[in-house]
Amino acid sequence: MPKIAILGAGSWGTALSIILSRSPRQHEIALWARNADLADIIARDRENKSYLPGCTLAPRIRVTPHLKEALTDAATVVCAIPSAHVRDVFTAAAKNVPAKATIVSATKGLEPATNLRMSEVLTQVLTPASLLFAELPLVLSGPSFAVEAARGEPTAVVVAAQTKESQITYDATDHAGRLRKHQAESAIGFMLANIQEQFAAPGFRLYTNFDVVGVELAGAMKNVMAIAAGACEGLGLGHNAIAALVTRGLAEMTRLAVALGAKPETLAGLAGLGDLVLTCTGKQSRNRQVGVQLGAGKSLNEILAATYMVAEGVGTTAPLLALAAQHNVELPITQQVDAILHHGRAPKEAIREIMDRPQKQESA
Amino acid sequence: MPKIAILGAGSWGTALSIILSRSPRQHEIALWARNADLADIIARDRENKSYLPGCTLAPRIRVTPHLKEALTDAATVVCAIPSAHVRDVFTAAAKNVPAKATIVSATKGLEPATNLRMSEVLTQVLTPASLLFAELPLVLSGPSFAVEAARGEPTAVVVAAQTKESQITYDATDHAGRLRKHQAESAIGFMLANIQEQFAAPGFRLYTNFDVVGVELAGAMKNVMAIAAGACEGLGLGHNAIAALVTRGLAEMTRLAVALGAKPETLAGLAGLGDLVLTCTGKQSRNRQVGVQLGAGKSLNEILAATYMVAEGVGTTAPLLALAAQHNVELPITQQVDAILHHGRAPKEAIREIMDRPQKQESA
């Protein structure tokens, strides 16, 4: 029974522990909570009432606040920590991460201080010896409200890998180059197929993908779009307006991601379009809820003070705008959301500016 | 004051008459209803209580059951008739359509008997003399619940044109070819810009597009996807499942449309992604409602007997499958929706087959 360690006992980390406990593979599962009291309460109640009420943890899930206990002998380590804390936690965890463990990032967002994607942060923090291939970890993303996935309702996500090797290009006549690329991709493909099989559970399906840049940027940007969609609703606008916003939102996400090296088809897939639709239209989205309340006139401080949940989009606008400036890409929606969140701009003005943006010809 | 005639007094035709009555251009507007009693009642109540309750018709909107009265001196003729009746109505109307009128199709769907798009049907029925350019009419489409647009809530749609001339290709050194293409596109561009300006109204924005094939196929296919999304909900599946379905739905729509000559970016735009998101997630969608009831166990006959509204998706699956067969494209979702609607397949089995379809690698 290979062991899977999940770091982070928020909604998604807890849901993943429950999903994985249903795998026919009968994994040994450790769920690490930073807060020792929370770990004790979850272990006692067999339920995470704070972050995932109503979902029972199977006996095979061991809940612990001790990194060493969680990580020892783990074949797979899943990162499900808010993006702002990934560096700290994995710096502390690094010495306990087994040398051959597969690392899977399930965190969506960018590191505020550095603008880095989560897989980049993990690669910096974990010594090369703890990573099986250069430029891994793998990334898990897609349209997945935690409570639905934990209940076993049908959920489809992607698991992505990217290596320098997979970007090898070769001439049509260069058979050695072709073989080299094929071998590198086969090794990564094998690793992905392994996680795909390990993580599959009733109702939970994984599709492999070779574009970590696209998957991670999509996962970060869709939260910002969800804040904008929520603001539309909070302002009393209808479904037509939100559908138009989602359309422009995906175009904006695709522009930046492609400028940073992503494949456009990743943005059109589960981690892009799928997660965007879910987050912009589903009532359970925390980012959307922040937008709804902003649109209804509350201040960000009021909203954040009333919840202990993390809305990743709040901290993501600044890193996205920094990346966009470096690559000379315009992000009109992200710009306005940033202005609402951090510069006191009135949501009504900001949304009007997004909606009334002159754009005479589509996809011009 | 140029006159605009709208044929069809359903939800969307009525909404368009109300939107256009708010244009600063102060159009003369005629709204034609096939049913003389309905025309009388709308004219008396200044409201279409059957199809668009709660929205007042301005005095400038003349409601009539007489084609000649509606069409005489019209500079623009809008088709807002259910797809199954467009040929009949326009065959009867043809002799009254002014020779230089601009024709705008606002109908989404395919003609069941012929698999033709609405602009193709209109081109067959209207004599060349009544069309200013070959292969027009224009097409209006996008995410637009009628009641929201009629209330003046922000709504963005596309208006599209396509001519043989716009498909002229030329060599980089062929200056005459380049000029010919430029002139043709300029003429069409002028026509589109004219409609864009004529139809713009507070809250209602139009974007120009040069891909009628893509716009019309998207408008037809999204209704089928909405039936599938509704069936998921009727079966009790969650938002994660619907988000995954929307993602695969857009891929399926794009596959067929591109095989028929559309541009992929049209499918990623307002008429594609935008309208798909609206129709699959918004409670007001009639097609989605049909799906919800099918998923909950009702028969198609029961559902159709209980409404006088048209759910375009019901009649669209067969033409789509015929087109797909001609072009050797697979439409797994459309296939299953067709089986539910017309071949007695249990929704639960059909949706399971869609969700469980083996697809190990994304966008493979």
Side-chain angles (χ1 to χ4, degrees):
Chain A
M1 297 186 294
K3 178 175 170 184
I4 300 178
I6 298 163
L7 304 196
S11 307
W12 190 222
T14 307
L16 281 172
S17 76
I18 294 173
I19 295 161
L20 291 170
S21 74
R22 295 204 194 98
S23 158
R25 301 284 290 244
Q26 308 219 323
H27 308 290
E28 183 186 340
I29 298 167
L31 177 63
W32 176 83
R34 187 180 215 168
N35 181 318
D37 291 339
L38 179 64
D40 283 350
I41 293 169
I42 299 173
R44 185 194 66 202
D45 295 345
R46 307 312 298 169
E47 181 186 350
N48 185 341
K49 288 180 181 161
S50 302
Y51 290 96
L52 196 69
C55 301
T56 302
L57 276 73
R60 78 167 66 248
I61 302 169
R62 182 154 30 122
V63 188
T64 172
H66 305 297
L67 283 170
K68 191 174 176 190
E69 186 185 344
L71 291 166
T72 300
D73 296 328
T76 306
V77 178
V78 179
C79 169
I81 293 159
S83 60
H85 304 301
V86 167
R87 183 178 296 272
D88 286 354
V89 170
F90 270 82
T91 299
K95 65 177 182 297
N96 294 311
V97 173
K100 290 200 168 178
T102 302
I103 313 296
V104 180
S105 169
T107 298
K108 293 169 185 170
L110 299 171
E111 189 176 48
T114 63
N115 310 333
L116 291 174
R117 292 177 280 108
M118 290 302 110
S119 68
E120 295 176 308
V121 173
L122 291 168
T123 304
Q124 285 188 350
V125 168
L126 296 170
T127 60
S130 52
L131 293 173
L132 190 56
F133 291 93
E135 280 202 39
L136 294 181
L138 308 183
V139 173
L140 183 79
S141 190
S144 46
F145 281 146
V147 67
E148 291 187 4
R151 282 193 206 124
E153 294 180 26
T155 301
V157 298
V158 297
V159 57
Q162 191 152 23
T163 60
K164 279 181 183 143
E165 288 77 6
S166 77
Q167 291 161 3
I168 291 170
T169 57
Y170 55 89
D171 198 85
T173 59
D174 173 9
H175 294 297
R178 188 172 174 178
L179 184 64
R180 210 159 57 236
K181 182 178 169 74
H182 179 72
Q183 286 173 333
E185 289 189 348
S186 295
I188 300 301
F190 178 81
M191 199 170 178
L192 282 178
N194 181 45
I195 291 295
Q196 186 177 38
E197 196 207 333
Q198 300 265 340
F199 279 43
F204 193 70
R205 290 169 66 86
L206 299 95
Y207 296 92
T208 58
N209 173 300
F210 290 88
D211 177 18
V212 160
V213 175
V215 168
E216 288 194 308
L217 281 168
M221 295 192 84
K222 60 98 192 178
N223 287 328
V224 174
M225 301 305 161
I227 294 175
C232 286
E233 183 174 317
L235 288 163
L237 305 188
H239 295 82
N240 294 353
I242 291 171
L245 180 82
V246 168
T247 308
R248 290 212 207 153
L250 188 63
E252 180 165 322
M253 289 164 58
T254 305
R255 253 190 337 264
L256 179 63
V258 168
L260 291 164
K263 298 174 191 165
E265 53 268 36
T266 299
L267 279 292
L270 290 166
L273 168 59
D275 208 0
L276 177 69
V277 167
L278 183 75
T279 317
C280 287
T281 66
K283 299 252 178 269
Q284 295 164 57
S285 160
R286 296 195 288 263
N287 291 287
R288 189 174 164 287
Q289 270 307 321
V290 167
V292 170
Q293 295 180 63
L294 286 167
K298 287 201 183 164
S299 75
L300 182 60
N301 284 341
E302 282 179 89
I303 298 165
L304 295 184
T307 179
Y308 49 85
M309 301 277 210
V310 174
E312 285 283 1
V314 173
T316 306
T317 54
L320 286 173
L321 292 174
L323 290 172
Q326 284 164 28
H327 290 82
N328 212 12
V329 173
E330 277 193 47
L331 304 182
I333 303 173
T334 305
Q335 186 90 54
Q336 293 297 332
V337 173
D338 184 67
I340 298 172
L341 289 170
H342 306 302
H343 304 289
R345 185 160 170 73
K348 190 168 181 176
E349 298 306 312
I351 296 298
R352 183 180 298 156
E353 187 153 327
I354 292 169
M355 291 292 167
D356 288 355
R357 201 156 194 261
Q359 184 191 344
K360 293 272 172 184
Q361 185 175 330
E362 211 188 18
S363 69
Chain B
M1 297 186 295
K3 178 174 170 183
I4 301 178
I6 298 162
L7 304 197
S11 306
W12 190 221
T14 307
L16 281 172
S17 77
I18 294 173
I19 294 161
L20 291 170
S21 74
R22 295 203 194 98
S23 158
R25 301 284 292 245
Q26 306 218 324
H27 309 288
E28 183 187 340
I29 298 166
L31 177 63
W32 175 83
R34 187 179 217 168
N35 181 316
D37 291 340
L38 180 64
D40 283 349
I41 294 170
I42 299 173
R44 184 194 66 201
D45 295 345
R46 305 314 295 169
E47 181 185 349
N48 187 340
K49 288 180 181 162
S50 301
Y51 290 96
L52 197 70
C55 300
T56 303
L57 276 72
R60 80 166 68 249
I61 302 169
R62 182 153 31 122
V63 188
T64 172
H66 305 297
L67 282 170
K68 190 173 178 192
E69 186 185 345
L71 291 165
T72 300
D73 296 329
T76 306
V77 178
V78 179
C79 168
I81 292 159
S83 60
H85 304 302
V86 166
R87 184 178 297 271
D88 287 354
V89 170
F90 270 82
T91 299
K95 66 178 181 297
N96 294 310
V97 173
K100 291 202 167 177
T102 302
I103 314 296
V104 180
S105 168
T107 296
K108 293 170 186 169
L110 299 171
E111 189 176 50
T114 63
N115 311 332
L116 292 174
R117 294 177 279 109
M118 291 302 110
S119 68
E120 294 175 310
V121 173
L122 290 168
T123 304
Q124 285 188 350
V125 168
L126 296 170
T127 59
S130 53
L131 292 173
L132 190 55
F133 293 91
E135 281 203 39
L136 295 179
L138 309 183
V139 174
L140 183 78
S141 191
S144 45
F145 281 146
V147 67
E148 291 188 4
R151 283 193 205 124
E153 293 180 27
T155 301
V157 299
V158 296
V159 56
Q162 190 151 24
T163 61
K164 277 182 185 144
E165 287 77 6
S166 79
Q167 290 162 3
I168 292 171
T169 57
Y170 56 88
D171 200 85
T173 58
D174 174 10
H175 295 295
R178 187 171 174 177
L179 183 66
R180 209 159 58 238
K181 182 179 170 72
H182 179 72
Q183 285 173 333
E185 288 189 347
S186 294
I188 300 301
F190 178 80
M191 197 172 182
L192 281 178
N194 181 44
I195 291 295
Q196 186 177 37
E197 197 206 332
Q198 300 264 342
F199 279 42
F204 193 70
R205 291 168 67 85
L206 299 95
Y207 297 92
T208 59
N209 173 299
F210 289 88
D211 177 18
V212 160
V213 176
V215 167
E216 287 193 310
L217 282 168
M221 295 191 84
K222 61 98 192 178
N223 287 328
V224 175
M225 300 305 161
I227 295 175
C232 286
E233 183 174 316
L235 288 165
L237 306 189
H239 295 83
N240 294 353
I242 291 172
L245 179 82
V246 168
T247 308
R248 289 211 209 153
L250 187 63
E252 179 165 321
M253 289 164 59
T254 305
R255 252 188 338 261
L256 180 63
V258 168
L260 290 163
K263 298 174 192 167
E265 53 266 38
T266 299
L267 279 292
L270 289 165
L273 168 59
D275 209 358
L276 177 69
V277 167
L278 183 75
T279 318
C280 287
T281 67
K283 299 253 177 265
Q284 295 164 57
S285 160
R286 295 195 290 262
N287 292 287
R288 190 175 162 286
Q289 269 308 321
V290 167
V292 169
Q293 294 178 63
L294 287 166
K298 286 199 183 165
S299 76
L300 183 60
N301 285 341
E302 283 178 89
I303 298 165
L304 295 183
T307 180
Y308 49 85
M309 302 278 209
V310 175
E312 285 282 1
V314 173
T316 307
T317 54
L320 286 174
L321 292 174
L323 291 172
Q326 284 164 27
H327 290 81
N328 211 11
V329 174
E330 277 192 47
L331 304 181
I333 303 174
T334 306
Q335 187 88 55
Q336 293 298 332
V337 173
D338 184 67
I340 297 173
L341 289 169
H342 306 301
H343 305 288
R345 186 158 169 73
K348 189 168 182 176
E349 299 305 313
I351 296 297
R352 184 181 297 157
E353 187 153 328
I354 292 169
M355 291 291 168
D356 289 354
R357 200 158 193 260
Q359 183 190 343
K360 293 272 172 185
Q361 186 176 328
E362 212 189 15
S363 69

